[in-house]
Amino acid sequence: MRNSILWAANNSGLRRQVTRSRLARPVARRFVAGETAEQALEATAQLNAQGAHVTLDYLGENVTSELEAAAVRDTYVRLINDIVARKLDCNVSLKLTALGLDVAYQHCHANLRAILETAAAHDIFVRLDMEGSDYTQLTLDLFDQMYVAEGYKNVGVVLQSYLYRSANDVDRMIELQARVRLCKGAYKEPPTLAYPEKADVDRSYRELAQRLLLHGNYPALATHDSAIIDWTQQFVREHKITPDRYEFQMLYGVRRDLQQQLIFAGHHVRVYVPFGEAWYPYLMRRMAERPANLLFILKALRYR
Ligand SMILES: Cc1cc2nc3c(=O)[nH]c(=O)nc-3n(C[C@H](O)[C@H](O)[C@H](O)COP(=O)(O)OP(=O)(O)OC[C@H]3O[C@@H](n4cnc5c(N)ncnc54)[C@H](O)[C@@H]3O)c2cc1C
């Protein structure tokens, strides 16, 4: 099931059909704050009022022209200025393929620098989302370029516990004291690169989380997995790691009950809020993680 849904995520014919459908759009709103920045900023203000921090993601990936990549860059620059003007508790997350990584490394680099420059001027943190394994090394190279070579300390990465290589990448990020978001990984990867069994992905997650919590710089534990979240709460208690040294992260519209519980228990919780017109692949990855979400969508379509 997961593989079929991930296949559908990359199918352009299906994407056209679904995104054109008048019915799908309102249903997507469960997981996507809206198609405009204004809607995303409103959702951010509401989440802030509930005690959650936010990271905003302008949806889009694998752009194929310099022009599109420049438009994404400009959207992020405007977004950062809006976040500052509205005094929101919010940072941004972005995908390098949306900034032109498939078009030319140099363009992507220049676009990223423009965003980091604006963000740094306002003390806003920028997270580089991690995409499929074709982009892992390129993403980490560009991160190194910005963080180590050019000295932008307001940028951080995402590491995926399903990849074998992440154990080494975690060590390197600890060495650099760079901020890491740890997630399990959302893409279809071959067994030569990633653990095929969920139990191994979960075990790897705990091992990497443990290292980051003990030695990392404000790690972000991005998961909705109650067992891992319970384990983390126990681990930080036992090791006297105070809540200002890490945060939990969850996706907009997913396990809202758990988000609130953690906030009430005194943890920092950041909600990842996606917005924009290019919501189809994002939505399909959420379906792949939990096929029950597909039922939610189908039911909603039936009753409209
Ligand atoms: C803030 C954030 C940022 C992320 N950034 C990236 C990234 O940059 N790159 C990347 O590859 N992946 C990213 N992911 C996705 C991540 O890799 C997983 O695919 C996703 O979080 C599902 O894994 P899980 O840890 O929640 O645990 P799972 O083991 O998949 O799920 C555990 C439980 O969580 C609940 N759950 C999980 N997913 C859903 C869902 N979609 N809807 C409803 N309930 C759900 C279910 O109850 C499920 O039983 C991110 C996830 C989060 C939360």
Side-chain angles (χ1 to χ4, degrees), residues 130 160 181 184-187 198 223-224 289-290 293:
M130 190 55 86
Q160 298 151 321
R181 172 198 296 153
K184 291 187 187 176
Y187 298 82
K198 180 171 161 43
T223 182
H224 315 97
E289 283 154 10
R290 190 162 183 265
N293 285 337

Side-chain angles (χ1 to χ4, degrees), residues 221-291:
L221 302 179
T223 182
H224 315 97
D225 187 330
S226 309
I228 290 185
I229 290 171
D230 289 348
W231 167 84
T232 306
Q233 293 190 83
Q234 197 178 333
F235 186 84
V236 295
R237 246 194 327 270
E238 282 170 11
H239 291 81
K240 300 194 171 31
I241 300 170
T242 46
D244 55 331
R245 288 177 49 199
Y246 62 91
E247 68 183 23
F248 288 109
Q249 293 192 353
M250 293 192 208
L251 302 175
Y252 183 72
V254 177
R255 295 301 314 264
R256 288 175 286 202
D257 54 335
L258 194 50
Q259 295 176 15
Q260 276 307 310
Q261 273 174 33
L262 287 169
I263 292 169
F264 285 137
H267 296 284
H268 290 194
V269 174
R270 188 175 302 275
V271 181
Y272 182 104
V273 178
F275 74 98
E277 289 178 9
W279 44 262
Y280 174 80
Y282 176 86
L283 193 65
M284 294 310 274
R285 285 199 292 276
R286 305 295 75 85
M287 300 300 120
E289 283 154 10
R290 190 162 183 265

Side-chain angles (χ1 to χ4, degrees), residues 63-250:
V63 305
T64 52
S65 74
E66 283 175 36
L67 220 61
E68 281 174 280
V72 173
R73 175 201 63 208
D74 293 347
T75 300
Y76 270 104
V77 167
R78 276 196 307 275
L79 192 61
I80 291 166
N81 287 324
D82 285 342
I83 290 170
V84 175
R86 296 181 194 206
K87 299 188 169 62
L88 294 170
D89 178 349
C90 180
N91 61 39
V92 297
S93 292
L94 57 83
K95 290 189 173 46
L96 291 180
T97 65
L99 288 184
L101 192 56
D102 290 333
V103 182
Y105 187 85
Q106 290 81 347
H107 288 301
C108 182
H109 177 192
N111 287 335
L112 179 59
R113 190 194 287 119
I115 294 170
L116 288 181
E117 196 60 40
T118 308
H122 301 293
D123 208 15
I124 289 203
F125 180 75
V126 177
R127 179 80 63 182
L128 308 185
D129 282 348
M130 190 55 86
E131 303 180 63
S133 57
D134 288 349
Y135 300 104
T136 311
Q137 192 55 50
L138 280 170
T139 303
L140 295 179
D141 287 348
L142 205 38
F143 165 77
D144 259 34
Q145 174 63 30
M146 306 319 296
Y147 185 91
V148 181
E150 299 187 30
Y152 289 97
K153 298 301 179 211
N154 61 325
V155 62
V157 290
V158 179
L159 298 177
Q160 298 151 321
S161 75
Y162 64 13
L163 291 186
Y164 307 132
R165 63 170 289 163
S166 290
N168 288 333
D169 292 332
V170 160
D171 285 346
R172 172 151 167 72
M173 293 306 153
I174 287 175
E175 214 175 282
L176 292 174
Q177 280 298 289
R179 280 171 62 176
V180 173
R181 172 198 296 153
L182 182 66
C183 67
K184 291 187 187 176
Y187 298 82
K188 185 167 158 26
E189 300 293 356
T192 45
L193 297 178
Y195 295 106
E197 300 297 330
K198 180 171 161 43
D200 292 322
V201 177
D202 291 357
R203 181 189 41 75
S204 161
Y205 193 100
R206 287 173 201 231
E207 282 170 14
L208 302 179
Q210 191 166 326
R211 264 140 74 180
L212 287 165
L213 284 165
L214 288 173
H215 309 295
N217 176 12
Y218 195 68
L221 302 179
T223 182
H224 315 97
D225 187 330
S226 309
I228 290 185
I229 290 171
D230 289 348
W231 167 84
T232 306
Q233 293 190 83
Q234 197 178 333
F235 186 84
V236 295
R237 246 194 327 270
E238 282 170 11
H239 291 81
K240 300 194 171 31
I241 300 170
T242 46
D244 55 331
R245 288 177 49 199
Y246 62 91
E247 68 183 23
F248 288 109
Q249 293 192 353
M250 293 192 208

